[in-house]
Amino acid sequence: PSDISIVIYGETGAGKEVLAEEIHNKSRRARRPFLRLNCAALAPNLLESELFGYERGAFTGANQSKAGLFESAEGGTVLLDEIGELPLSTQPKLLRVLESREAQRIGALRPRPVDVRFLCATHRDLEVMTVLGQFRQDLLFRLSGITVQLPPLRDRAGEIPALVQTLLQDASVRAGKPSLGITRDALALLLAYRWPGNIRELKNVLERAVLLATDRIDIQHIV
């Protein structure tokens, strides 16, 4: 229950975003917004306008002012997913926000105070990226108040039975079916698999199985 920045490392699909949301829900900011931004999903110019916002007339097409993500998450938590994809040109601006707790809209004359907590997630090794000149070391220092290494699903197979139960229930609701069980043989097959796609892959397999099965999930529904 603190405001310390956290970087969550883990493979794609391992549950980094879910963990980040749980951290937010356990914090003093739980009643405030939890906003997520995928740094790899937007072009650099769009990323900057999403983070900081802009004033009317700041650039072509800016017909009205728009608050940035930092402003709209006031009092809450911002998850910067795929932080390793943050362009080098944007990194010093994020560093200034972390240090000054102020953000300046594109085209604005003065910065605005911001009160947000930063969580970051990545599948890349940020320390290696700093050595290669792809990520600012001073920014990494500011973000890494705490670092969390989320193990891949293959290293925590003991969680699979509980995950299967939860994911099957959710998939059954979405498919409009009664909650389906799973046979011992099918579960054993899931436990033996290495899951390169982690929880995301497991979720997809079970969603397909729910559509194919009529009573219980069996081996033929998951292979």
Side-chain angles (χ1 to χ4, degrees):
S2 75
D3 289 335
I4 194 168
S5 298
I6 299 176
V7 178
I8 304 171
Y9 291 93
E11 293 181 4
T12 299
K16 299 185 294 296
E17 186 175 322
V18 175
L19 176 58
E21 187 167 4
E22 187 66 13
I23 291 171
H24 168 74
N25 290 337
K26 299 291 186 182
S27 75
R28 292 188 293 264
R29 298 174 179 267
R31 296 183 180 274
R32 304 298 296 168
F34 174 73
L35 296 182
R36 47 181 76 81
L37 180 71
N38 189 325
C39 298
L42 296 173
N45 58 324
L46 294 177
L47 178 63
E48 191 168 326
S49 63
E50 286 294 317
L51 288 175
F52 300 100
Y54 52 83
E55 296 292 354
R56 181 179 179 181
F59 50 83
T60 302
N63 299 321
Q64 60 184 10
S65 298
K66 178 180 182 296
L69 186 64
F70 297 148
E71 287 183 60
S72 58
E74 180 69 17
T77 303
V78 173
L79 170 63
L80 298 175
D81 197 11
E82 302 294 350
I83 186 67
E85 310 304 323
L86 190 70
L88 276 170
S89 60
T90 307
Q91 291 179 24
K93 298 173 183 178
L94 176 58
L95 179 62
R96 283 199 295 273
V97 174
L98 287 162
E99 292 180 336
S100 67
R101 293 294 165 177
E102 293 179 328
Q104 187 164 338
R105 292 183 182 181
I106 299 172
L109 299 177
R110 297 183 181 86
R112 300 166 181 257
V114 292
D115 174 25
V116 296
R117 181 190 191 181
F118 289 97
L119 305 178
C120 303
T122 182
H123 68 280
R124 303 184 66 179
D125 190 327
L126 297 183
E127 292 188 2
V128 170
M129 291 182 66
T130 63
V131 174
L132 297 175
Q134 298 171 347
F135 200 87
R136 291 179 62 109
Q137 189 177 52
D138 49 2
L139 177 58
L140 180 58
F141 289 155
R142 294 293 299 185
L143 292 172
S144 302
I146 293 176
T147 60
V148 177
Q149 186 69 47
L150 187 59
L153 185 57
R154 61 184 172 273
D155 290 344
R156 45 191 171 111
E159 297 180 13
I160 289 178
L163 282 169
V164 167
Q165 184 177 4
T166 299
L167 294 172
L168 278 179
Q169 184 174 359
D170 292 345
S172 298
V173 170
R174 285 193 297 272
K177 287 187 169 185
S179 185
L180 300 179
I182 186 168
T183 67
R184 184 175 301 177
D185 289 343
L187 182 58
L189 187 62
L190 297 179
L191 287 167
Y193 185 57
R194 297 287 291 169
W195 298 109
N198 291 292
I199 298 174
R200 185 175 297 147
E201 183 183 6
L202 174 63
K203 180 180 178 182
N204 290 340
V205 167
L206 293 176
E207 285 182 343
R208 182 178 67 247
V210 166
L211 295 177
L212 296 175
T214 56
D215 183 16
R216 303 179 73 193
I217 307 296
D218 208 346
I219 289 178
Q220 68 266 26
H221 303 126
I222 60 177
V223 296

